[in-house]
Amino acid sequence: MKDFKVIEVKRSIFEDNNADADKLRAELKSEGTFLLNLMSSPGAGKTTTLKRTISMLKDEMKIGVMEADIDSDVDAQAISETGVRAIQIHTGGMCHLDADMTRQGIREFGTKDLDFVVLENVGNLVCPAEFDTGSTKNAMILSVPEGDDKPLKYPLMFSICDVVLINKCDTLSVFDDFSKEAVKERILKLNPDAKIFFVSAKTGEGFDEWADWIRTEISEYQK
């Protein structure tokens, strides 16, 4: 008989992380810094979406971006070209960020003078959903080419997100089997409170509504 229980060990790790995440969230709240944890599959358009979002908001608020990847600094370089503060976090092979890793990034990055910080998490739909980063809100991007069945395959990710951006809507004429109605129904069945925006980072479709959501959330948060 084994003398250890995997489930108990795993639960302990999650409980420790959740407590750390709550502490980090309180620290950020005291500074008035809104932290958005942005998740997606690789290639869904996180960085392109961020660049367009930044261009719409950078004259209204102070923005910073923390880019998390297993390796490389390609995304941080792309974001730094927008003129906002950017830092690259290498996860050392880990497929996600947890609260302590996020805090380490924040210490190096410095957020006290920032209104809006985006944590671009490691690209996948499994691990990042399992670990609370201490963010104010969670958002994810699902791109049209990935298919409208992803909420069925990765329910946890869609359950924990406050916002879902359906990106690359300019490709709907090509991926004509993607149903906007079906994906919306599947997301809301898992998460009735989720905000869903149909967008295109390429054309700008839907970005006014997305930017307005950010403005409203930060305004309420900083009261």
PDB file of all heavy atoms in Angstrom, residues 33-69:
ATOM      1  N   THR A  33      -4.222  49.026  -8.174  1.00  0.00           N
ATOM      2  CA  THR A  33      -3.752  48.419  -9.425  1.00  0.00           C
ATOM      3  C   THR A  33      -4.651  47.254  -9.812  1.00  0.00           C
ATOM      4  O   THR A  33      -4.770  46.278  -9.074  1.00  0.00           O
ATOM      5  CB  THR A  33      -2.302  47.920  -9.288  1.00  0.00           C
ATOM      6  OG1 THR A  33      -1.456  49.019  -8.924  1.00  0.00           O
ATOM      7  CG2 THR A  33      -1.814  47.327 -10.597  1.00  0.00           C
ATOM      8  N   PHE A  34      -5.268  47.359 -10.972  1.00  0.00           N
ATOM      9  CA  PHE A  34      -6.175  46.330 -11.495  1.00  0.00           C
ATOM     10  C   PHE A  34      -5.352  45.340 -12.311  1.00  0.00           C
ATOM     11  O   PHE A  34      -4.729  45.713 -13.306  1.00  0.00           O
ATOM     12  CB  PHE A  34      -7.237  46.999 -12.371  1.00  0.00           C
ATOM     13  CG  PHE A  34      -8.330  46.091 -12.866  1.00  0.00           C
ATOM     14  CD1 PHE A  34      -9.576  46.094 -12.251  1.00  0.00           C
ATOM     15  CD2 PHE A  34      -8.140  45.254 -13.957  1.00  0.00           C
ATOM     16  CE1 PHE A  34     -10.605  45.276 -12.718  1.00  0.00           C
ATOM     17  CE2 PHE A  34      -9.147  44.437 -14.432  1.00  0.00           C
ATOM     18  CZ  PHE A  34     -10.388  44.438 -13.802  1.00  0.00           C
ATOM     19  N   LEU A  35      -5.342  44.076 -11.888  1.00  0.00           N
ATOM     20  CA  LEU A  35      -4.560  43.042 -12.571  1.00  0.00           C
ATOM     21  C   LEU A  35      -5.482  42.092 -13.322  1.00  0.00           C
ATOM     22  O   LEU A  35      -6.336  41.442 -12.724  1.00  0.00           O
ATOM     23  CB  LEU A  35      -3.717  42.260 -11.557  1.00  0.00           C
ATOM     24  CG  LEU A  35      -2.893  41.086 -12.109  1.00  0.00           C
ATOM     25  CD1 LEU A  35      -1.856  41.561 -13.121  1.00  0.00           C
ATOM     26  CD2 LEU A  35      -2.222  40.324 -10.969  1.00  0.00           C
ATOM     27  N   LEU A  36      -5.297  42.033 -14.634  1.00  0.00           N
ATOM     28  CA  LEU A  36      -6.083  41.136 -15.483  1.00  0.00           C
ATOM     29  C   LEU A  36      -5.222  39.957 -15.909  1.00  0.00           C
ATOM     30  O   LEU A  36      -4.153  40.135 -16.503  1.00  0.00           O
ATOM     31  CB  LEU A  36      -6.578  41.881 -16.723  1.00  0.00           C
ATOM     32  CG  LEU A  36      -7.424  41.054 -17.703  1.00  0.00           C
ATOM     33  CD1 LEU A  36      -8.818  40.788 -17.128  1.00  0.00           C
ATOM     34  CD2 LEU A  36      -7.543  41.773 -19.053  1.00  0.00           C
ATOM     35  N   ASN A  37      -5.674  38.756 -15.598  1.00  0.00           N
ATOM     36  CA  ASN A  37      -4.996  37.530 -16.005  1.00  0.00           C
ATOM     37  C   ASN A  37      -5.583  37.086 -17.345  1.00  0.00           C
ATOM     38  O   ASN A  37      -6.742  36.691 -17.421  1.00  0.00           O
ATOM     39  CB  ASN A  37      -5.196  36.453 -14.938  1.00  0.00           C
ATOM     40  CG  ASN A  37      -4.562  35.126 -15.309  1.00  0.00           C
ATOM     41  OD1 ASN A  37      -3.581  35.074 -16.042  1.00  0.00           O
ATOM     42  ND2 ASN A  37      -5.123  34.045 -14.782  1.00  0.00           N
ATOM     43  N   LEU A  38      -4.789  37.162 -18.408  1.00  0.00           N
ATOM     44  CA  LEU A  38      -5.268  36.862 -19.759  1.00  0.00           C
ATOM     45  C   LEU A  38      -4.719  35.518 -20.219  1.00  0.00           C
ATOM     46  O   LEU A  38      -3.505  35.306 -20.268  1.00  0.00           O
ATOM     47  CB  LEU A  38      -4.831  37.964 -20.721  1.00  0.00           C
ATOM     48  CG  LEU A  38      -5.293  37.835 -22.182  1.00  0.00           C
ATOM     49  CD1 LEU A  38      -6.815  37.872 -22.281  1.00  0.00           C
ATOM     50  CD2 LEU A  38      -4.668  38.932 -23.030  1.00  0.00           C
ATOM     51  N   MET A  39      -5.620  34.623 -20.594  1.00  0.00           N
ATOM     52  CA  MET A  39      -5.248  33.253 -20.954  1.00  0.00           C
ATOM     53  C   MET A  39      -5.804  32.884 -22.327  1.00  0.00           C
ATOM     54  O   MET A  39      -6.782  33.461 -22.797  1.00  0.00           O
ATOM     55  CB  MET A  39      -5.777  32.281 -19.894  1.00  0.00           C
ATOM     56  CG  MET A  39      -5.210  32.544 -18.501  1.00  0.00           C
ATOM     57  SD  MET A  39      -6.066  31.622 -17.171  1.00  0.00           S
ATOM     58  CE  MET A  39      -7.550  32.623 -16.988  1.00  0.00           C
ATOM     59  N   SER A  40      -5.176  31.895 -22.948  1.00  0.00           N
ATOM     60  CA  SER A  40      -5.663  31.372 -24.230  1.00  0.00           C
ATOM     61  C   SER A  40      -4.769  30.237 -24.670  1.00  0.00           C
ATOM     62  O   SER A  40      -3.716  29.977 -24.075  1.00  0.00           O
ATOM     63  CB  SER A  40      -5.671  32.462 -25.316  1.00  0.00           C
ATOM     64  OG  SER A  40      -4.371  32.649 -25.855  1.00  0.00           O
ATOM     65  N   SER A  41      -5.145  29.592 -25.768  1.00  0.00           N
ATOM     66  CA  SER A  41      -4.255  28.655 -26.443  1.00  0.00           C
ATOM     67  C   SER A  41      -3.172  29.436 -27.176  1.00  0.00           C
ATOM     68  O   SER A  41      -3.355  30.618 -27.493  1.00  0.00           O
ATOM     69  CB  SER A  41      -5.035  27.819 -27.472  1.00  0.00           C
ATOM     70  OG  SER A  41      -6.006  27.024 -26.859  1.00  0.00           O
ATOM     71  N   PRO A  42      -2.053  28.792 -27.494  1.00  0.00           N
ATOM     72  CA  PRO A  42      -1.060  29.460 -28.343  1.00  0.00           C
ATOM     73  C   PRO A  42      -1.676  29.820 -29.695  1.00  0.00           C
ATOM     74  O   PRO A  42      -2.413  29.021 -30.279  1.00  0.00           O
ATOM     75  CB  PRO A  42       0.038  28.394 -28.516  1.00  0.00           C
ATOM     76  CG  PRO A  42      -0.134  27.461 -27.358  1.00  0.00           C
ATOM     77  CD  PRO A  42      -1.607  27.436 -27.082  1.00  0.00           C
ATOM     78  N   GLY A  43      -1.407  31.023 -30.156  1.00  0.00           N
ATOM     79  CA  GLY A  43      -1.886  31.418 -31.474  1.00  0.00           C
ATOM     80  C   GLY A  43      -3.296  31.970 -31.516  1.00  0.00           C
ATOM     81  O   GLY A  43      -3.800  32.294 -32.594  1.00  0.00           O
ATOM     82  N   ALA A  44      -3.934  32.118 -30.345  1.00  0.00           N
ATOM     83  CA  ALA A  44      -5.309  32.632 -30.336  1.00  0.00           C
ATOM     84  C   ALA A  44      -5.356  34.140 -30.528  1.00  0.00           C
ATOM     85  O   ALA A  44      -6.417  34.698 -30.824  1.00  0.00           O
ATOM     86  CB  ALA A  44      -6.013  32.252 -29.036  1.00  0.00           C
ATOM     87  N   GLY A  45      -4.204  34.799 -30.333  1.00  0.00           N
ATOM     88  CA  GLY A  45      -4.155  36.238 -30.576  1.00  0.00           C
ATOM     89  C   GLY A  45      -4.032  37.094 -29.335  1.00  0.00           C
ATOM     90  O   GLY A  45      -4.445  38.249 -29.348  1.00  0.00           O
ATOM     91  N   LYS A  46      -3.422  36.556 -28.265  1.00  0.00           N
ATOM     92  CA  LYS A  46      -3.298  37.334 -27.025  1.00  0.00           C
ATOM     93  C   LYS A  46      -2.497  38.616 -27.241  1.00  0.00           C
ATOM     94  O   LYS A  46      -2.930  39.700 -26.856  1.00  0.00           O
ATOM     95  CB  LYS A  46      -2.635  36.501 -25.918  1.00  0.00           C
ATOM     96  CG  LYS A  46      -3.479  35.385 -25.341  1.00  0.00           C
ATOM     97  CD  LYS A  46      -2.914  34.854 -24.029  1.00  0.00           C
ATOM     98  CE  LYS A  46      -1.511  34.296 -24.149  1.00  0.00           C
ATOM     99  NZ  LYS A  46      -1.410  33.131 -25.050  1.00  0.00           N
ATOM    100  N   THR A  47      -1.330  38.481 -27.841  1.00  0.00           N
ATOM    101  CA  THR A  47      -0.453  39.643 -27.981  1.00  0.00           C
ATOM    102  C   THR A  47      -1.033  40.667 -28.950  1.00  0.00           C
ATOM    103  O   THR A  47      -0.994  41.879 -28.686  1.00  0.00           O
ATOM    104  CB  THR A  47       0.953  39.204 -28.440  1.00  0.00           C
ATOM    105  OG1 THR A  47       1.461  38.223 -27.519  1.00  0.00           O
ATOM    106  CG2 THR A  47       1.909  40.384 -28.477  1.00  0.00           C
ATOM    107  N   THR A  48      -1.603  40.212 -30.046  1.00  0.00           N
ATOM    108  CA  THR A  48      -2.233  41.134 -31.000  1.00  0.00           C
ATOM    109  C   THR A  48      -3.423  41.843 -30.367  1.00  0.00           C
ATOM    110  O   THR A  48      -3.627  43.048 -30.552  1.00  0.00           O
ATOM    111  CB  THR A  48      -2.689  40.377 -32.262  1.00  0.00           C
ATOM    112  OG1 THR A  48      -1.599  39.618 -32.774  1.00  0.00           O
ATOM    113  CG2 THR A  48      -3.169  41.344 -33.335  1.00  0.00           C
ATOM    114  N   THR A  49      -4.202  41.106 -29.596  1.00  0.00           N
ATOM    115  CA  THR A  49      -5.325  41.699 -28.871  1.00  0.00           C
ATOM    116  C   THR A  49      -4.838  42.741 -27.873  1.00  0.00           C
ATOM    117  O   THR A  49      -5.418  43.829 -27.758  1.00  0.00           O
ATOM    118  CB  THR A  49      -6.123  40.603 -28.140  1.00  0.00           C
ATOM    119  OG1 THR A  49      -6.690  39.710 -29.102  1.00  0.00           O
ATOM    120  CG2 THR A  49      -7.227  41.195 -27.282  1.00  0.00           C
ATOM    121  N   LEU A  50      -3.769  42.424 -27.161  1.00  0.00           N
ATOM    122  CA  LEU A  50      -3.210  43.360 -26.197  1.00  0.00           C
ATOM    123  C   LEU A  50      -2.723  44.636 -26.875  1.00  0.00           C
ATOM    124  O   LEU A  50      -2.953  45.737 -26.370  1.00  0.00           O
ATOM    125  CB  LEU A  50      -2.057  42.705 -25.444  1.00  0.00           C
ATOM    126  CG  LEU A  50      -2.399  41.972 -24.150  1.00  0.00           C
ATOM    127  CD1 LEU A  50      -1.142  41.371 -23.538  1.00  0.00           C
ATOM    128  CD2 LEU A  50      -3.077  42.896 -23.173  1.00  0.00           C
ATOM    129  N   LYS A  51      -2.055  44.495 -27.990  1.00  0.00           N
ATOM    130  CA  LYS A  51      -1.521  45.668 -28.685  1.00  0.00           C
ATOM    131  C   LYS A  51      -2.645  46.612 -29.103  1.00  0.00           C
ATOM    132  O   LYS A  51      -2.541  47.838 -28.946  1.00  0.00           O
ATOM    133  CB  LYS A  51      -0.692  45.235 -29.897  1.00  0.00           C
ATOM    134  CG  LYS A  51       0.636  44.591 -29.523  1.00  0.00           C
ATOM    135  CD  LYS A  51       1.366  44.029 -30.731  1.00  0.00           C
ATOM    136  CE  LYS A  51       1.874  45.121 -31.650  1.00  0.00           C
ATOM    137  NZ  LYS A  51       2.675  44.560 -32.772  1.00  0.00           N
ATOM    138  N   ARG A  52      -3.724  46.080 -29.620  1.00  0.00           N
ATOM    139  CA  ARG A  52      -4.851  46.932 -30.014  1.00  0.00           C
ATOM    140  C   ARG A  52      -5.527  47.536 -28.777  1.00  0.00           C
ATOM    141  O   ARG A  52      -5.907  48.712 -28.788  1.00  0.00           O
ATOM    142  CB  ARG A  52      -5.867  46.159 -30.852  1.00  0.00           C
ATOM    143  CG  ARG A  52      -7.000  47.027 -31.367  1.00  0.00           C
ATOM    144  CD  ARG A  52      -7.921  46.267 -32.298  1.00  0.00           C
ATOM    145  NE  ARG A  52      -7.362  46.070 -33.619  1.00  0.00           N
ATOM    146  CZ  ARG A  52      -7.409  46.970 -34.613  1.00  0.00           C
ATOM    147  NH1 ARG A  52      -7.987  48.149 -34.410  1.00  0.00           N
ATOM    148  NH2 ARG A  52      -6.889  46.690 -35.780  1.00  0.00           N
ATOM    149  N   THR A  53      -5.654  46.762 -27.723  1.00  0.00           N
ATOM    150  CA  THR A  53      -6.257  47.265 -26.485  1.00  0.00           C
ATOM    151  C   THR A  53      -5.427  48.406 -25.911  1.00  0.00           C
ATOM    152  O   THR A  53      -5.967  49.444 -25.492  1.00  0.00           O
ATOM    153  CB  THR A  53      -6.372  46.129 -25.456  1.00  0.00           C
ATOM    154  OG1 THR A  53      -7.139  45.045 -26.017  1.00  0.00           O
ATOM    155  CG2 THR A  53      -7.047  46.606 -24.183  1.00  0.00           C
ATOM    156  N   ILE A  54      -4.117  48.212 -25.883  1.00  0.00           N
ATOM    157  CA  ILE A  54      -3.212  49.244 -25.376  1.00  0.00           C
ATOM    158  C   ILE A  54      -3.335  50.527 -26.185  1.00  0.00           C
ATOM    159  O   ILE A  54      -3.382  51.633 -25.622  1.00  0.00           O
ATOM    160  CB  ILE A  54      -1.762  48.732 -25.382  1.00  0.00           C
ATOM    161  CG1 ILE A  54      -1.568  47.655 -24.313  1.00  0.00           C
ATOM    162  CG2 ILE A  54      -0.765  49.878 -25.160  1.00  0.00           C
ATOM    163  CD1 ILE A  54      -0.282  46.869 -24.449  1.00  0.00           C
ATOM    164  N   SER A  55      -3.411  50.398 -27.499  1.00  0.00           N
ATOM    165  CA  SER A  55      -3.496  51.585 -28.357  1.00  0.00           C
ATOM    166  C   SER A  55      -4.752  52.395 -28.074  1.00  0.00           C
ATOM    167  O   SER A  55      -4.758  53.618 -28.226  1.00  0.00           O
ATOM    168  CB  SER A  55      -3.446  51.184 -29.830  1.00  0.00           C
ATOM    169  OG  SER A  55      -4.647  50.550 -30.235  1.00  0.00           O
ATOM    170  N   MET A  56      -5.812  51.727 -27.612  1.00  0.00           N
ATOM    171  CA  MET A  56      -7.068  52.401 -27.322  1.00  0.00           C
ATOM    172  C   MET A  56      -7.093  53.035 -25.937  1.00  0.00           C
ATOM    173  O   MET A  56      -7.855  53.983 -25.704  1.00  0.00           O
ATOM    174  CB  MET A  56      -8.235  51.414 -27.451  1.00  0.00           C
ATOM    175  CG  MET A  56      -8.414  50.846 -28.846  1.00  0.00           C
ATOM    176  SD  MET A  56      -9.766  49.646 -28.941  1.00  0.00           S
ATOM    177  CE  MET A  56     -11.197  50.725 -28.753  1.00  0.00           C
ATOM    178  N   LEU A  57      -6.272  52.543 -25.011  1.00  0.00           N
ATOM    179  CA  LEU A  57      -6.394  52.954 -23.617  1.00  0.00           C
ATOM    180  C   LEU A  57      -5.179  53.672 -23.040  1.00  0.00           C
ATOM    181  O   LEU A  57      -5.273  54.279 -21.963  1.00  0.00           O
ATOM    182  CB  LEU A  57      -6.683  51.727 -22.737  1.00  0.00           C
ATOM    183  CG  LEU A  57      -7.996  50.984 -22.998  1.00  0.00           C
ATOM    184  CD1 LEU A  57      -8.046  49.718 -22.147  1.00  0.00           C
ATOM    185  CD2 LEU A  57      -9.199  51.867 -22.712  1.00  0.00           C
ATOM    186  N   LYS A  58      -4.041  53.617 -23.712  1.00  0.00           N
ATOM    187  CA  LYS A  58      -2.808  54.095 -23.079  1.00  0.00           C
ATOM    188  C   LYS A  58      -2.782  55.600 -22.813  1.00  0.00           C
ATOM    189  O   LYS A  58      -1.996  56.056 -21.969  1.00  0.00           O
ATOM    190  CB  LYS A  58      -1.587  53.693 -23.908  1.00  0.00           C
ATOM    191  CG  LYS A  58      -1.468  54.351 -25.259  1.00  0.00           C
ATOM    192  CD  LYS A  58      -0.198  53.866 -25.963  1.00  0.00           C
ATOM    193  CE  LYS A  58      -0.014  54.537 -27.316  1.00  0.00           C
ATOM    194  NZ  LYS A  58       1.240  54.064 -27.962  1.00  0.00           N
ATOM    195  N   ASP A  59      -3.634  56.361 -23.492  1.00  0.00           N
ATOM    196  CA  ASP A  59      -3.697  57.799 -23.219  1.00  0.00           C
ATOM    197  C   ASP A  59      -4.628  58.130 -22.058  1.00  0.00           C
ATOM    198  O   ASP A  59      -4.684  59.269 -21.612  1.00  0.00           O
ATOM    199  CB  ASP A  59      -4.144  58.558 -24.470  1.00  0.00           C
ATOM    200  CG  ASP A  59      -3.111  58.505 -25.587  1.00  0.00           C
ATOM    201  OD1 ASP A  59      -1.912  58.343 -25.283  1.00  0.00           O
ATOM    202  OD2 ASP A  59      -3.504  58.598 -26.769  1.00  0.00           O
ATOM    203  N   GLU A  60      -5.374  57.117 -21.586  1.00  0.00           N
ATOM    204  CA  GLU A  60      -6.332  57.327 -20.503  1.00  0.00           C
ATOM    205  C   GLU A  60      -5.858  56.795 -19.163  1.00  0.00           C
ATOM    206  O   GLU A  60      -6.337  57.233 -18.115  1.00  0.00           O
ATOM    207  CB  GLU A  60      -7.658  56.624 -20.837  1.00  0.00           C
ATOM    208  CG  GLU A  60      -8.262  57.002 -22.162  1.00  0.00           C
ATOM    209  CD  GLU A  60      -9.473  56.127 -22.476  1.00  0.00           C
ATOM    210  OE1 GLU A  60     -10.154  55.692 -21.527  1.00  0.00           O
ATOM    211  OE2 GLU A  60      -9.717  55.869 -23.669  1.00  0.00           O
ATOM    212  N   MET A  61      -4.938  55.845 -19.195  1.00  0.00           N
ATOM    213  CA  MET A  61      -4.503  55.191 -17.962  1.00  0.00           C
ATOM    214  C   MET A  61      -3.078  54.692 -18.118  1.00  0.00           C
ATOM    215  O   MET A  61      -2.580  54.526 -19.233  1.00  0.00           O
ATOM    216  CB  MET A  61      -5.445  54.032 -17.609  1.00  0.00           C
ATOM    217  CG  MET A  61      -5.539  52.975 -18.693  1.00  0.00           C
ATOM    218  SD  MET A  61      -6.800  51.701 -18.345  1.00  0.00           S
ATOM    219  CE  MET A  61      -8.330  52.608 -18.640  1.00  0.00           C
ATOM    220  N   LYS A  62      -2.438  54.437 -16.984  1.00  0.00           N
ATOM    221  CA  LYS A  62      -1.077  53.914 -16.996  1.00  0.00           C
ATOM    222  C   LYS A  62      -1.135  52.388 -17.032  1.00  0.00           C
ATOM    223  O   LYS A  62      -1.710  51.768 -16.144  1.00  0.00           O
ATOM    224  CB  LYS A  62      -0.318  54.407 -15.764  1.00  0.00           C
ATOM    225  CG  LYS A  62      -0.116  55.919 -15.747  1.00  0.00           C
ATOM    226  CD  LYS A  62       0.593  56.367 -14.480  1.00  0.00           C
ATOM    227  CE  LYS A  62       0.775  57.874 -14.462  1.00  0.00           C
ATOM    228  NZ  LYS A  62       1.414  58.350 -13.204  1.00  0.00           N
ATOM    229  N   ILE A  63      -0.520  51.819 -18.067  1.00  0.00           N
ATOM    230  CA  ILE A  63      -0.651  50.387 -18.353  1.00  0.00           C
ATOM    231  C   ILE A  63       0.698  49.697 -18.299  1.00  0.00           C
ATOM    232  O   ILE A  63       1.724  50.247 -18.701  1.00  0.00           O
ATOM    233  CB  ILE A  63      -1.274  50.177 -19.747  1.00  0.00           C
ATOM    234  CG1 ILE A  63      -2.642  50.866 -19.840  1.00  0.00           C
ATOM    235  CG2 ILE A  63      -1.417  48.688 -20.070  1.00  0.00           C
ATOM    236  CD1 ILE A  63      -3.244  50.843 -21.235  1.00  0.00           C
ATOM    237  N   GLY A  64       0.699  48.465 -17.815  1.00  0.00           N
ATOM    238  CA  GLY A  64       1.875  47.606 -17.852  1.00  0.00           C
ATOM    239  C   GLY A  64       1.475  46.196 -18.234  1.00  0.00           C
ATOM    240  O   GLY A  64       0.327  45.786 -18.023  1.00  0.00           O
ATOM    241  N   VAL A  65       2.411  45.451 -18.816  1.00  0.00           N
ATOM    242  CA  VAL A  65       2.134  44.076 -19.240  1.00  0.00           C
ATOM    243  C   VAL A  65       3.256  43.162 -18.773  1.00  0.00           C
ATOM    244  O   VAL A  65       4.443  43.456 -18.968  1.00  0.00           O
ATOM    245  CB  VAL A  65       1.994  43.977 -20.773  1.00  0.00           C
ATOM    246  CG1 VAL A  65       1.773  42.514 -21.190  1.00  0.00           C
ATOM    247  CG2 VAL A  65       0.846  44.847 -21.273  1.00  0.00           C
ATOM    248  N   MET A  66       2.873  42.051 -18.144  1.00  0.00           N
ATOM    249  CA  MET A  66       3.814  41.001 -17.775  1.00  0.00           C
ATOM    250  C   MET A  66       3.583  39.811 -18.697  1.00  0.00           C
ATOM    251  O   MET A  66       2.490  39.233 -18.707  1.00  0.00           O
ATOM    252  CB  MET A  66       3.623  40.590 -16.311  1.00  0.00           C
ATOM    253  CG  MET A  66       3.899  41.716 -15.330  1.00  0.00           C
ATOM    254  SD  MET A  66       3.980  41.160 -13.604  1.00  0.00           S
ATOM    255  CE  MET A  66       2.288  40.616 -13.344  1.00  0.00           C
ATOM    256  N   GLU A  67       4.582  39.478 -19.477  1.00  0.00           N
ATOM    257  CA  GLU A  67       4.490  38.386 -20.442  1.00  0.00           C
ATOM    258  C   GLU A  67       5.102  37.125 -19.850  1.00  0.00           C
ATOM    259  O   GLU A  67       6.269  37.123 -19.458  1.00  0.00           O
ATOM    260  CB  GLU A  67       5.238  38.750 -21.728  1.00  0.00           C
ATOM    261  CG  GLU A  67       4.596  39.859 -22.541  1.00  0.00           C
ATOM    262  CD  GLU A  67       3.392  39.371 -23.329  1.00  0.00           C
ATOM    263  OE1 GLU A  67       3.169  38.134 -23.359  1.00  0.00           O
ATOM    264  OE2 GLU A  67       2.696  40.207 -23.903  1.00  0.00           O
ATOM    265  N   ALA A  68       4.319  36.047 -19.785  1.00  0.00           N
ATOM    266  CA  ALA A  68       4.815  34.782 -19.248  1.00  0.00           C
ATOM    267  C   ALA A  68       4.958  33.758 -20.365  1.00  0.00           C
ATOM    268  O   ALA A  68       4.034  33.530 -21.139  1.00  0.00           O
ATOM    269  CB  ALA A  68       3.858  34.248 -18.181  1.00  0.00           C
ATOM    270  N   ASP A  69       6.133  33.182 -20.443  1.00  0.00           N
ATOM    271  CA  ASP A  69       6.404  32.113 -21.408  1.00  0.00           C
ATOM    272  C   ASP A  69       7.418  31.152 -20.804  1.00  0.00           C
ATOM    273  O   ASP A  69       8.165  31.512 -19.879  1.00  0.00           O
ATOM    274  CB  ASP A  69       6.972  32.677 -22.718  1.00  0.00           C
ATOM    275  CG  ASP A  69       5.890  33.171 -23.665  1.00  0.00           C
ATOM    276  OD1 ASP A  69       5.003  32.364 -24.002  1.00  0.00           O
ATOM    277  OD2 ASP A  69       5.932  34.344 -24.050  1.00  0.00           O
TER     278      ASP A  69
END
